[in-house]
């Protein structure tokens, strides 16, 4: 026998079945796919999903906002400006309904009597206008739209509005922005009328005109909402009424 050098033998290629991958390769790929599916299934099971359904103004959006307060991110300044516009707009909407309902209930004479009594009092809030004058102003500008066209021009901007922190918000919509401007122009009339006993009688019958109960908090705090430095609080955001027009989804 002779001696000679030998070369290493090449690794044998994986066995194939009918020209395809081997059974071991197929099994490994199948296990990897199964493991990935199991991981995805466990991850999906760990998620808590909540679908809110209900009639209009039943509190779906409020719960949604509460969930964000508990588990989501803080509101940006853009968000707060939008809710500032909405809060002021909500006040104007409520006052429109209250004034119209006062007239429908035939309480205007009662408002006249209260105005005369307040003028005769030596003590109390002697404002620049009576509750009847405040009512007439609000009816002319907010309800009947009988004020002059120039006075109702929604594009008119006062010095106070230009310095206002809330300003305007495109996200709130054109109607809400116009109502917020009207609020700034007539907030003193709203405050005076809200303090009257007559309007309290109308408020007691608010269910007939679908006024949101929680907006009483806004009406009780008109000077704060009218302040140039007004920035909505967490409570202001929660009770703000924004009409939901599409499906909203948020992940935490």
């Amino acid at each position: 026998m002779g001696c000679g050098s030998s070369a290493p033998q090449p690794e044998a290629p994986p066995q194939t079945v009918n020209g395809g991958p081997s059974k071991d390769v197929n099994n490994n790929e199948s296990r990897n796919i199964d493991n990935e599916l199991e991981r995805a299934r466990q991850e999906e099971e760990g998620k808590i999903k909540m679908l809110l359904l209900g009639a209009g103004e039943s509190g779906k959006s409020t719960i949604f906002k509460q969930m964000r307060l508990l588990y989501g991110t803080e509101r940006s300044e853009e968000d707060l400006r939008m809710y500032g516009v909405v809060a002021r707009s909500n006040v104007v909407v409520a006052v429109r309904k209250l004034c119209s309902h006062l007239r429908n209930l035939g309480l205007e004479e009662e408002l006249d009597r209260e105005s005369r009594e307040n003028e005769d009092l030596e003590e109390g809030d002697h404002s620049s206008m009576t509750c009847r004058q405040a009512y007439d102003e609000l009816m002319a500008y907010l309800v009947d739209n009988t004020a002059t066209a120039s006075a109702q021009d929604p594009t008119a901007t006062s010095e106070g509005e230009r310095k206002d922190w809330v300003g305007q918000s495109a996200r709130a919509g054109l109607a809400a922005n116009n109502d917020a401007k009207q609020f700034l122009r007539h907030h003193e009339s709203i405050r005076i009328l809200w303090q009257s006993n007559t309007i309290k009688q109308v408020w007691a019958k608010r269910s007939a005109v679908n006024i949101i109960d929680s907006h009483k908090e806004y009406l009780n705090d008109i000077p704060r909402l009218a302040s140039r430095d007004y920035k909505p609080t967490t409570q202001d955001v929660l009770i703000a009424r924004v009409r939901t027009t599409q499906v909203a989804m948020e992940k935490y």
Side-chain angles (χ1 to χ4, degrees):
M1 295 178 63
C3 296
S5 61
S6 61
Q9 295 296 324
E11 294 184 1
Q15 297 181 354
T16 61
V17 179
N18 296 329
S22 69
K23 184 179 294 186
D24 289 341
V25 172
N26 283 334
N27 288 340
N28 287 335
E29 291 181 353
S30 179
R31 279 195 297 270
N32 289 337
I33 292 172
D34 290 341
N35 291 337
E36 182 64 23
L37 290 174
E38 178 63 18
R39 185 194 64 77
R41 184 187 66 81
Q42 292 179 357
E43 181 179 333
E44 191 68 16
E45 286 182 350
K47 297 178 181 178
I48 299 176
K49 298 181 180 180
M50 182 169 59
L51 175 63
L52 301 177
L53 300 173
E57 300 183 6
S58 60
K60 303 182 297 297
S61 297
T62 302
I63 293 176
F64 198 78
K65 287 185 282 188
Q66 288 172 329
M67 292 294 293
R68 176 167 178 173
L69 286 172
L70 291 173
Y71 305 109
T73 57
E74 292 185 2
R75 297 283 180 186
S76 66
E77 288 200 345
E78 182 183 355
D79 289 338
L80 292 178
R81 284 188 169 92
M82 181 199 70
Y83 280 109
V85 169
V86 170
R88 290 169 171 174
S89 173
N90 287 166
V91 172
V92 171
V93 171
V95 168
R96 280 197 186 104
K97 293 179 178 180
L98 287 170
C99 288
S100 297
H101 199 34
L102 187 153
R103 179 167 58 185
N104 294 337
L105 292 171
L107 293 176
E108 291 180 332
E109 292 184 2
E110 179 72 15
L111 196 63
D112 287 332
R113 183 190 60 77
E114 184 177 353
S115 296
R116 290 192 298 269
E117 289 179 354
N118 288 340
E119 288 179 340
D120 293 337
L121 290 176
E122 295 182 358
E123 299 179 356
D125 182 13
H126 295 282
S127 303
S128 58
M129 67 175 70
T130 65
C131 54
R132 175 61 198 231
Q133 290 171 334
Y135 167 79
D136 289 339
E137 177 182 318
L138 296 173
M139 289 295 291
Y141 282 90
L142 305 184
V143 181
D144 295 333
N145 296 320
T146 55
T148 59
S150 60
Q152 294 194 68
D153 182 6
T155 62
T157 305
S158 68
E159 182 67 21
E161 291 173 37
R162 284 196 293 269
K163 294 181 179 179
D164 183 61
W165 183 87
V166 171
Q168 299 183 47
S169 171
R171 293 169 55 194
L174 179 61
N177 278 284
N178 288 341
D179 282 347
K181 288 182 180 179
Q182 294 284 30
F183 171 85
L184 290 176
R185 293 168 186 156
H186 306 291
H187 64 87
E188 183 63 13
S189 299
I190 294 173
R191 183 190 68 82
I192 293 171
L193 181 62
W194 177 247
Q195 289 179 340
S196 69
N197 294 325
T198 306
I199 206 68
K200 297 298 192 297
Q201 297 179 44
V202 180
W203 177 262
K205 301 177 181 178
R206 64 191 176 279
S207 60
V209 288
N210 192 28
I211 297 176
I212 299 174
D213 291 354
S214 59
H215 287 173
K216 184 177 182 180
E217 295 185 30
Y218 289 155
L219 291 165
N220 284 334
D221 212 358
I222 294 297
R224 180 176 66 87
L225 270 67
S227 169
R228 293 179 181 180
D229 300 326
Y230 168 60
K231 183 178 289 189
T233 64
T234 297
Q235 183 65 10
D236 291 339
V237 172
L238 284 176
I239 66 177
R241 172 69 175 113
V242 184
R243 184 179 180 184
T244 305
T245 57
Q246 58 187 2
V247 175
M249 180 176 68
E250 190 162 344
K251 297 179 180 180
Y252 306 113

